[in-house]
Amino acid sequence: MVHVKTTINGQPAEFLVPAYLSLLDTIREVVGLTGAKEGCLDGNCGACTVILNGRIVDSCLVLGAEANGGEITTVEGLATPDALHPLQQAFLEEAALQCGICTPGFLVSAAALLKREPKANEQRIRHWLAGNLCRCTGYDKIVRAVIKAEDMSSQLSKSKAKVAAKPTAKSSASPKASSVRSSGRSGSGRK
Amino acid sequence: MVATFEPKKTYKVIGTRPIRHDGYDKVTGRALYGADLKLPGQVWGAVLRSPYAHANITRMDTSEAEKYPGVLAVVTAKDMPKAESKMVDLGEGTVNEKHEVDRIMASDKIVFRGQPVAAVAAVDRNTAEEAVKLIRVEYQPLQPVLTVEEAMAKGAPIILPDLVGDDLGEKVKKTNMAKHFRHEFGDVEKGFSQAKHIVERTFKMSMTHQGYIEPHNAVAMWDEDNRLRIWTGTQGAFAVRKQMAGILKLDESRVKVTPMEIGGGFGGKIPVYLEPIAALLSKKCRRPVKLVMERKAVFESTGPAPGGTLRVKVGVDASGKITAAASDMKLEAGGFPGSAVGAAAMCIYSPYNIPNTTIDGWDIVVNKPKSAPYRAPGAPQAHFAMESVIDELCEKGGWDPIDFRLKNSAKEGTRRGDGVKFGSIGNVDVLKAASRSPHWKSVLNKDTTDGKKRGRGIASGYWFNIGLKSAVTLSANNDGTVSLVEGSTDIGGSRASIAMQAAEVLGIPALDVRPTVADTEGVAYNDVTGGSRTTYATGFAAYEAAIKMVEELKARAARIWNQDPSDILFKDGVFSAKKDSELRLNFKELSKKLGETGGPVTVTGSVDLSTGGGAYGAHIVDVEVDTETGKVEILRYTIVQDVGKAIHPSYVEGQMQGGVVQGIGWALNEEYFMTKEGTMANSSFLDYRMPTTLDLPKIETVIVEVFNPGHPFGVRGVGEVPIAPPIAAIGNALHDALGVRLVETPFKPGRIMEALEAQSKAAAVKPKR
Amino acid sequence: MHPFAYVEPKTVKEAVAALSKYGDKARPLAGGTDLLVQTRAGRFNLDAVVNLKKIPELMSVKLDANGLEVGAAVPCYRVYEDPKVSAAFPGLIDAASLIGGIQIQSRASMGGNLCNSSPSADATCPMIVHNGVAVIAGPKGTRKVAIEEFCTGPGKNALAAGEFVVTLQFPKPSPTFGAAYERFIPRNEMDIAVVGVASSVTLDAAGKTIKNARIALAAVGPIPIYAVAASEWLKGKPANEASIAQAAAMAKAAARPITDMRGTIEQRKHLVEVLARRTLTKAIERARGK
Amino acid sequence: MPVVFLPFNLRKYAGGARQVVVTGKTLGELIAAMETLYPGMSAHLLEEGRLRPGLVAVCGTTETRQGLRQQLDEDTEVHFIQAISGGA
């Protein structure tokens, strides 16, 4: 057993872990936070992404023992008691999740990006998130949500005022039996 | 079910985009998925799987594992109830009972690599995983049979000795062919004789996996009354109950299944895999046992989409009318019978009106994992073949691909490939919308400055969408909100789309209907979340329940106001008395007064529906190919799809985009790359190359709404149609870019380079004129 | 996983002692992105994992007049996020910034990539063309091995029992040096190279003639291949398309690939030629200061 | 009268006919009528007094959810097809 003293989502934590236990299993089984998910156990899906000492890592590829003296942020640590993280709010409003299993990993990865590059463009966002797999959404709404969160964050920091975050309500009447509605290439194109 | 509802001109809730009810739990990490469950006293299991694809088990010794410190139970097929070789219905069509039990845990013979042979429960996961390695199994390896051609060849090793095949209604023994069926309408010989252009091509496809990010999981616990409880990520708690009862020979009422949040399914989480094993282990050690499947096992031993060989021949007359079509589809069932070839046959000609058709379908057993439904099962395969041939015919005849499809489009009354007439369908509307889309109208510059080639492709796709059984309970709360209890696992926002349909009827905001997905004892029977049925059928049940609730509330208002119930009106969310205009209460106000009117208000809606209104999509894609490496980039992609009515448009778009991206993966890189020993060589997310966010552009969506008369709001199934056209659309775009016709999936770079090389060789040997 | 002990030495000496004690039942841990996957898959049955990241030498990046010295456990991002390193060692940067995704780059090290000794390693070939040397510590003291001589087979290398790589040294490139690494993968990220090619050139002052060149090939043989003949041939040749084409053809001849799930022999040979041409072109552009 | 579209496999039991017109106000009556016309036919359609497992009857444009009790209109088309399991 390895003695680990660490900080998780701002709270000090101290525990013993078997040396072989991954940081993912440490967080899930020992600490009891199950937001980080197991998807592949070989660093190829990003569902277990957490921030360790300021960098995003696949927690399945880190030993729990290595967290000793470190600082960990998981999806559970993104919101404050008063408000969701802008990314969380944007993911909800933009319907950027379907089954939701990859969502914690995406949120943690994107939060790290926004912190260091608050105005990352679409291409940079796609590059940064390439280590996170999503099989439900096709990524389109995820990328849109991250861009929206960037805007929300910059407005927040500008005004310091509370942004009223209401869902966009687009009620579309269908007077005929048949109607057509398009959602297109708003925002920056990739190429 | 007859809809007693006129399509409304405007809706208050339907068509809006509220935040989904389960959203907060899912963005904060609170939502509990199967692997997140931790019961008091819970222990872990691990499964030993066969390293061979085809073998006899000759000996098994579990003694070392049983002695390993921390081990609580070891099970093998001997612990399973004895299964007979007879057909039973476990909710997903009929299956051979012995096959189903052997699929869970092999008793005597291995028919696919990764098939479970034993399992261990231990104090923790690592101990279980270490202990399972100590089980000694001796195998007599047999020659694996890996393609439909090998399986059907004379003298091929027989995979299932007890299989009785059905060859056009005749019984066949000692065969790998589980089924051969035929649909035949009109006179194809005559049809082809009328054709000016005939194209015939054979296509090959590899197995592909649904690729859900959450691995399979299960927790099982037996109690002292011999009742079994299961917690699992599944597409259908009742389907799990039925399978468990059948496999373990229990009364269904002894099994209670709690569906946890589910991390993707796409059809792959309908069959049970770990649940019976967890149950056996729990029975033996009398502790709750949890199993989580490792990713490699998810690829090797769960149910991919079938690969196979498809031949399509289509004839067109000089005017551009299709005169005949004939097709053979041989799909890989995997180690046990049951590929999606029947569904493929229903889809293959569905975009078209063809007077003379034949379809021959074969379900072939091979030494690969038993295939399972994968999003519109069979449709991507069928449409890849058909739409590629249609593209070639358009080129031959010089027809615009949309004009050609419009000219030959299926309409209400047209016959499907299996002879059934279509009801109200929207293929024409979809094609017209596609032709008006900004994408189709844009000009693609086909050559680039860096020598890359670009092309545009289009393809149609169809899925019939299923209906089946759903039930919903609504209870009015005295604060004006309504609790909704349903049994459809929410994989992609269906709590919202179901609640919204109730809210629309009740005249209250979407978020005032609070949906809960219940366990098998908390709600009446519900079929699986699958077949694109959930928003359609469970939404219909919610609508029915809401109608009943309005009736009940009218009665309560009548009681409060001393009016006759038939004199109470409900319009725009307000209850009023016909005979006294002063008497008006909206839903919320009335809810607060229910205390003295005769107990809580609770109602149920229950439906058993026919097809969910078949639906069409037309997809347009631009690709760019690096002709030096064969690498393909998707430059632009537009989905046009008839959804009947978009209840929550964001999640409708999400289904369309997600389905397409799975289709893009299928087209470009995803495959079961099998070694000659029958091992999937690329059984990881590293080498099973699903698209990452960097591999895609934004995916444009055009929602077409052609009212489905079978649903009060006109809903059609949405989730499956979008995976039907992409492979063909991309293949057609590659043909446009390169001039080569790709007939085997995936269109991986090496394969594209080989096609280009063959093209240049062919050009070189052509005599110059 | 087989339950193992976790050792966290603070000095090279302690690490040597720990690794010697457990022999082949111990493995050093740098980024862990290969080690933990392989251990989980049952490739090793370990009694101890020796975390090298608390040893200062293994975690430092030193750039001075002599060149660059990168600790063997330094994660990729620290290499490519350092603007000075990135300006002087473009080939290394090309590799460090495409290993895995951002999460992997937070952990994976070039030293670990080298010691994992996969033929398809993205960092090894760029290190070869940057004339890299591995500084190895072990029970018998310290020794140096040129990167091109480090790997001996798939997963095998020059390290003897109890030895590990401490740092990677690279001589300071001349102002007319340029290098590039490209790999071919079917996706745009998160893939193993079907083929990778690293090239470097040193031009004359006028930027017209190739004084020195090195070409190295990934995933086309049992080890990363230093394409000696092609590299030597380029010396003294004009830095033009014809020379590049000839060298690329020679590089192709040096490839000894196999067919597997990632590609076929023919495809890989062809890709070597394409990528050799592309990386030589880019290396020359970089050498010319473009 | 309803028109029955026979699936390929059953045509041989009806002398090769592809379609047969039979009387019947319900699906059950229709099958009984077919049995009269083609003795033995019902064994291919029924099992234990119900539609065989795995067989679906499409009456009009949609599959029946009411089994043999399904009411048939004067000119309903009836197709017997294989049941298909869903997906997604």
Side-chain angles (χ1 to χ4, degrees):
Chain A
M1 287 289 196
V2 183
H3 182 193
V4 175
K5 278 173 92 168
T6 182
T7 305
I8 301 180
N9 299 329
Q11 300 290 318
E14 192 170 350
F15 43 79
L16 293 173
V17 284
Y20 61 78
L21 207 66
S22 68
L23 178 60
L24 173 63
D25 281 345
T26 302
I27 293 169
R28 289 176 56 86
E29 301 288 327
V30 180
V31 180
L33 294 174
T34 56
K37 304 300 183 194
E38 173 182 321
C40 66
L41 287 185
D42 55 16
N44 284 294
C45 78
C48 66
T49 303
V50 302
I51 299 171
L52 174 63
N53 303 328
R55 305 288 310 188
I56 53 169
V57 298
D58 294 314
S59 61
C60 70
L61 296 187
V62 179
L63 292 176
E66 294 182 81
N68 190 30
E71 215 169 287
I72 299 162
T73 304
T74 69
V75 69
E76 289 93 341
L78 293 184
T80 65
D82 303 324
L84 291 177
H85 189 286
L87 277 163
Q88 293 171 314
Q89 188 66 33
F91 267 55
L92 290 177
E93 291 174 11
E94 292 295 307
L97 60 149
Q98 284 179 32
C99 81
I101 197 85
C102 71
T103 308
F106 270 97
L107 288 168
V108 169
S109 290
L113 174 65
L114 258 58
K115 197 165 181 186
R116 50 179 283 152
E117 298 167 39
K119 291 190 173 147
N121 65 15
E122 180 183 344
Q123 180 63 15
R124 175 62 173 154
I125 292 167
R126 286 186 182 273
H127 178 254
W128 185 269
L129 296 178
N132 291 82
L133 288 179
C134 170
R135 192 62 159 172
C136 294
T137 64
Y139 306 103
D140 185 283
K141 291 185 186 297
I142 291 175
V143 172
R144 288 173 197 267
V146 175
I147 292 168
K148 182 171 190 174
E150 289 179 345
D151 296 344
M152 288 162 68
S153 300
S154 72
Q155 278 180 18
L156 260 179
S157 57
K158 262 185 213 159
S159 62
K160 294 243 172 186
K162 248 193 171 174
V163 179
K166 281 186 186 159
T168 49
K170 266 192 211 164
S171 174
S172 162
S174 124
K176 288 183 297 166
S178 164
S179 76
V180 176
R181 198 182 312 141
S182 305
S183 96
R185 288 148 69 86
S186 60
S188 53
R190 176 155 173 241
K191 291 270 145 46
Chain B
M1 194 90 233
V2 180
T4 55
F5 190 92
E6 292 297 309
K8 266 187 164 182
K9 289 201 162 102
T10 57
Y11 294 114
K12 284 207 173 77
V13 178
I14 285 169
T16 65
R17 302 174 187 241
I19 285 176
R20 61 195 276 177
H21 302 75
D22 52 332
Y24 292 98
D25 283 349
K26 284 181 177 162
V27 297
T28 55
R30 264 197 311 272
L32 285 178
Y33 293 75
D36 301 335
L37 186 70
K38 197 170 190 177
L39 294 176
Q42 176 181 292
V43 297
W44 279 83
V47 177
L48 182 68
R49 297 174 184 279
S50 166
Y52 296 99
H54 195 191
N56 289 318
I57 300 174
T58 53
R59 205 171 147 264
M60 205 180 303
D61 177 2
T62 58
S63 56
E64 287 300 310
E66 278 157 24
K67 281 184 266 177
Y68 193 73
V71 168
L72 301 167
V74 180
V75 298
T76 67
K78 289 199 181 100
D79 297 282
M80 300 274 269
K82 182 88 185 129
E84 289 168 52
S85 187
K86 64 169 186 189
M87 299 308 280
V88 291
D89 184 0
L90 296 183
E92 267 298 294
T94 55
V95 290
N96 180 303
E97 184 182 288
K98 181 171 189 299
H99 293 169
E100 195 63 4
V101 170
D102 278 345
R103 180 179 70 75
I104 302 297
M105 196 164 276
S107 59
D108 47 10
K109 195 172 179 195
I110 299 297
V111 296
F112 62 90
R113 185 188 148 109
Q115 194 174 353
V117 291
V120 165
V123 289
D124 59 38
R125 187 180 191 178
N126 201 61
T127 305
E129 286 171 358
E130 287 299 300
V132 87
K133 295 179 199 160
L134 300 174
I135 297 171
R136 298 281 161 252
V137 186
E138 283 172 22
Y139 300 93
Q140 176 200 9
L142 302 168
Q143 187 193 331
V145 179
L146 298 172
T147 65
V148 293
E149 286 78 15
E150 282 174 43
M152 291 175 82
K154 265 196 183 152
I158 300 301
I159 296 170
L160 298 169
D162 61 345
L163 177 68
V164 180
D166 172 349
D167 186 3
L168 298 177
E170 304 297 327
K171 285 183 178 168
V172 188
K173 289 191 174 174
K174 292 199 171 141
T175 180
N176 294 317
M177 184 204 67
K179 192 174 197 98
H180 169 208
F181 64 84
R182 179 174 298 163
H183 299 305
E184 184 184 64
F185 294 91
D187 182 343
V188 286
E189 293 293 315
K190 196 177 119 211
F192 282 121
S193 73
Q194 293 162 349
K196 182 179 179 211
H197 303 286
I198 293 176
V199 170
E200 180 177 359
R201 286 250 185 212
T202 299
F203 301 84
K204 283 186 184 293
M205 301 182 80
S206 295
M207 277 187 161
T208 52
H209 198 271
Q210 298 86 353
Y212 33 79
I213 307 298
E214 178 201 39
H216 294 259
N217 54 73
V219 178
M221 184 178 76
W222 288 84
D223 73 9
E224 291 68 19
D225 191 25
N226 208 28
R227 286 178 190 275
L228 173 61
R229 289 205 60 183
I230 299 285
W231 293 259
T232 182
T234 175
Q235 290 177 239
F238 289 90
V240 172
R241 186 176 76 172
K242 185 154 196 167
Q243 291 175 77
M244 293 300 284
I247 291 165
L248 298 177
K249 304 216 162 170
L250 292 166
D251 289 340
E252 278 190 41
S253 63
R254 294 227 159 249
V255 185
K256 175 174 174 176
V257 180
T258 304
M260 304 295 290
E261 295 296 344
I262 176 174
F266 315 108
K269 287 183 185 162
I270 294 173
V272 296
Y273 296 96
L274 296 176
E275 292 88 340
I277 299 174
L280 292 178
L281 289 169
S282 170
K283 187 163 198 181
K284 233 177 186 176
C285 71
R286 288 285 157 190
R287 302 270 289 269
V289 176
K290 175 151 127 185
L291 283 167
V292 174
M293 205 183 275
E294 58 275 37
R295 177 57 55 183
K296 186 182 171 68
V298 173
F299 279 115
E300 288 190 337
S301 14
T302 67
T309 303
L310 301 92
R311 182 192 63 89
V312 172
K313 178 179 175 185
V314 179
V316 180
D317 70 15
S319 77
K321 282 293 279 182
I322 303 176
T323 57
S327 52
D328 295 341
M329 295 189 275
K330 302 184 179 95
L331 295 191
E332 299 167 337
F336 299 104
S339 73
V341 66
M346 283 168 72
C347 294
I348 185 161
Y349 304 142
S350 288
Y352 305 100
N353 180 7
I354 310 176
N356 308 295
T357 58
T358 62
I359 301 170
D360 276 74
W362 283 266
D363 184 40
I364 309 291
V365 178
V366 294
N367 289 119
K368 294 186 187 178
K370 161 74 179 74
S371 66
Y374 175 16
R375 203 168 197 152
Q381 293 94 327
H383 288 305
F384 165 46
M386 182 70 182
E387 294 297 290
S388 297
V389 166
I390 293 292
D391 196 62
E392 204 166 336
L393 284 163
C394 287
E395 196 198 2
K396 276 197 165 182
W399 299 298
D400 172 87
I402 291 186
D403 291 345
F404 179 85
R405 284 174 171 83
L406 274 170
K407 186 178 178 120
N408 289 285
S409 178
K411 302 180 181 75
E412 187 165 351
T414 300
R415 288 194 192 284
R416 216 161 61 180
D418 61 356
V420 174
K421 271 186 182 172
F422 288 114
S424 155
I425 50 170
N427 193 41
V428 168
D429 306 72
V430 165
L431 289 167
K432 284 182 177 165
S435 72
R436 288 194 300 264
S437 69
H439 189 166
W440 190 251
K441 286 188 192 161
S442 72
V443 175
L444 178 70
N445 189 356
K446 286 180 77 170
D447 290 304
T448 63
T449 49
D450 53 1
K452 292 175 180 168
K453 292 266 174 73
R454 292 177 171 177
R456 176 170 294 171
I458 184 166
S460 288
Y462 165 82
W463 182 248
F464 43 88
N465 297 319
I466 63 172
L468 306 183
K469 299 181 180 76
S470 282
V472 162
T473 304
L474 293 180
S475 304
N477 299 314
N478 60 12
D479 63 353
T481 64
V482 171
S483 304
L484 184 157
V485 180
E486 45 135 331
S488 290
T489 307
D490 182 353
I491 316 186
S494 57
R495 282 184 184 89
S497 66
I498 293 161
M500 286 169 75
Q501 295 179 59
E504 182 68 45
V505 174
L506 299 173
I508 58 178
L511 294 179
D512 280 359
V513 177
R514 307 303 306 175
T516 299
V517 178
D519 61 46
T520 51
E521 293 178 4
V523 65
Y525 180 86
N526 273 264
D527 277 307
V528 295
T529 294
S532 302
R533 63 175 291 277
T534 307
T535 298
Y536 165 70
T538 311
F540 202 142
Y543 162 85
E544 286 247 316
I547 295 278
K548 284 189 192 169
M549 178 166 273
V550 168
E551 289 309 309
E552 178 64 20
L553 289 173
K554 280 181 178 173
R556 302 296 177 100
R559 216 167 288 171
I560 294 169
W561 292 330
N562 283 321
Q563 301 281 318
D564 191 274
S566 60
D567 287 336
I568 306 298
L569 302 173
F570 179 68
K571 197 163 184 266
D572 296 331
V574 176
F575 294 88
S576 59
K578 222 186 256 177
K579 294 177 177 166
D580 184 347
S581 60
E582 294 287 299
L583 297 177
R584 290 172 62 83
L585 288 171
N586 68 20
F587 188 92
K588 194 160 254 179
E589 292 160 344
L590 178 57
S591 300
K592 287 177 184 160
K593 295 180 188 269
L594 292 176
E596 306 99 48
T597 60
V601 171
T602 183
V603 294
T604 58
S606 171
V607 298
D608 185 0
L609 302 176
S610 304
T611 173
Y616 291 84
H619 292 194
I620 306 160
V621 60
D622 294 349
V623 299
E624 181 178 274
V625 189
D626 180 339
T627 52
E628 282 191 330
T629 64
K631 183 159 165 167
V632 178
E633 290 284 343
I634 304 293
L635 295 178
R636 187 173 181 183
Y637 204 109
T638 298
I639 313 160
V640 186
Q641 187 178 322
D642 171 22
V643 306
K645 179 71 199 168
I647 300 292
H648 191 312
S650 295
Y651 288 98
V652 167
E653 292 158 4
Q655 286 292 324
M656 290 158 69
Q657 292 164 331
V660 158
V661 169
Q662 285 184 314
I664 290 172
W666 196 332
L668 294 183
N669 285 307
E670 293 179 32
E671 62 176 325
Y672 270 52
F673 190 99
M674 307 303 289
T675 67
K676 62 181 191 301
E677 292 81 22
T679 299
M680 182 190 184
N682 57 334
S683 57
S684 72
F685 277 150
L686 179 62
D687 285 310
Y688 185 84
R689 297 166 171 133
M690 307 198 315
T692 74
T693 184
L694 200 52
D695 301 321
L696 299 159
K698 285 207 174 82
I699 309 286
E700 297 161 60
T701 57
V702 179
I703 291 175
V704 178
E705 294 182 327
V706 179
F707 189 86
N708 174 14
H711 185 278
F713 300 119
V715 167
R716 291 174 195 268
V718 167
E720 289 170 290
V721 177
I723 202 173
I727 305 172
I730 291 168
N732 294 344
L734 288 170
H735 180 265
D736 187 43
L738 305 172
V740 296
R741 178 66 58 188
L742 290 150
V743 294
E744 186 170 0
T745 61
F747 313 139
K748 52 188 176 182
R751 201 162 267 156
I752 288 173
M753 292 309 290
E754 282 164 18
L756 287 174
E757 195 158 311
Q759 179 192 42
S760 67
K761 272 186 190 154
V765 297
K766 262 188 198 160
K768 278 180 188 169
R769 279 167 191 264
Chain C
M1 280 190 265
H2 186 256
F4 52 72
Y6 176 74
V7 189
E8 210 168 70
K10 302 285 190 296
T11 65
V12 168
K13 207 174 149 191
E14 283 175 30
V16 170
L19 288 168
S20 302
K21 180 180 159 192
Y22 290 99
D24 60 5
K25 299 289 267 182
R27 295 286 293 186
L29 170 69
T33 53
D34 285 318
L35 179 66
L36 295 188
V37 174
Q38 291 164 1
T39 307
R40 208 168 265 142
R43 183 161 152 196
F44 308 116
N45 240 351
L46 299 178
D47 286 335
V49 163
V50 181
N51 180 11
L52 302 179
K53 293 194 290 297
K54 301 292 173 181
I55 306 170
E57 292 95 309
L58 275 100
M59 291 300 282
S60 69
V61 178
K62 273 187 284 184
L63 182 64
D64 57 26
N66 296 323
L68 174 68
E69 184 165 21
V70 181
V74 168
C76 287
Y77 80 90
R78 281 186 54 204
V79 179
Y80 68 71
E81 285 187 1
D82 186 322
K84 283 182 190 154
V85 175
S86 134
F89 296 89
L92 299 184
I93 301 314
D94 284 347
S97 53
L98 55 66
I99 292 175
I102 305 292
Q103 287 95 324
I104 299 291
Q105 290 158 16
S106 297
R107 300 278 299 170
S109 63
M110 296 199 305
N113 199 234
L114 176 68
C115 293
N116 187 50
S117 302
S118 161
S120 59
D122 283 313
T124 306
C125 287
M127 291 197 282
I128 291 172
V129 305
H130 271 281
N131 297 291
V133 171
V135 179
I136 297 168
K140 291 179 187 164
T142 303
R143 64 187 178 110
K144 291 187 180 183
V145 172
I147 302 295
E148 62 263 34
E149 285 159 16
F150 187 86
C151 297
T152 55
K156 296 195 174 115
N157 56 45
L159 292 177
E163 282 191 327
F164 64 96
V165 176
V166 181
T167 63
L168 303 160
Q169 294 178 337
F170 305 94
K172 189 179 181 202
S174 87
T176 57
F177 174 91
Y181 174 68
E182 278 191 34
R183 65 176 178 187
F184 178 75
I185 54 172
R187 292 188 291 186
N188 287 311
E189 269 287 357
M190 302 299 293
D191 245 335
I192 298 270
V194 176
V195 169
V197 177
S199 297
S200 71
V201 294
T202 306
L203 304 180
D204 65 355
K208 296 239 166 109
T209 305
I210 297 170
K211 281 165 60 186
N212 231 320
R214 285 168 84 86
I215 302 170
L217 320 175
V220 287
I223 57 170
I225 294 171
Y226 172 38
V228 183
S231 304
E232 292 294 321
W233 182 85
L234 272 175
K235 286 181 188 173
K237 299 292 186 306
N240 61 18
E241 274 183 34
S243 306
I244 290 171
Q246 176 63 26
M250 292 173 76
K252 178 183 179 180
R256 286 170 285 145
I258 56 166
T259 290
D260 66 10
M261 62 188 167
R262 293 176 187 138
T264 62
I265 290 173
E266 297 71 28
Q267 181 193 8
R268 283 182 153 132
K269 283 190 171 174
H270 168 76
L271 285 169
V272 166
E273 187 167 12
V274 172
L275 295 184
R277 176 160 48 70
R278 290 181 182 181
T279 51
L280 278 168
T281 305
K282 201 187 274 182
I284 289 168
E285 282 174 8
R286 284 172 171 173
R288 286 170 178 161
K290 276 187 191 166
Chain D
M1 283 192 288
V3 185
V4 180
F5 282 67
L6 288 168
F8 186 87
N9 290 359
L10 297 188
R11 290 174 185 173
K12 58 179 173 256
Y13 304 114
R18 294 181 173 199
Q19 297 162 25
V20 290
V21 179
V22 286
T23 52
K25 289 197 159 49
T26 64
L27 191 60
E29 288 176 23
L30 177 138
I31 292 174
M34 285 175 65
E35 177 67 20
T36 313
L37 266 176
Y38 308 112
M41 178 66 90
S42 67
H44 301 287
L45 299 171
L46 302 177
E47 192 176 295
E48 293 170 10
R50 300 172 63 181
L51 274 181
R52 285 181 74 109
L55 196 67
V56 167
V58 175
C59 302
T61 59
T62 55
E63 79 275 13
T64 174
R65 307 294 303 158
Q66 284 146 40
L68 302 184
R69 287 180 292 102
Q70 172 71 45
Q71 301 275 324
L72 302 176
D73 291 338
E74 184 59 17
D75 53 355
T76 306
E77 277 188 21
V78 177
H79 299 256
F80 293 100
I81 61 171
Q82 290 298 317
I84 299 295
S85 56

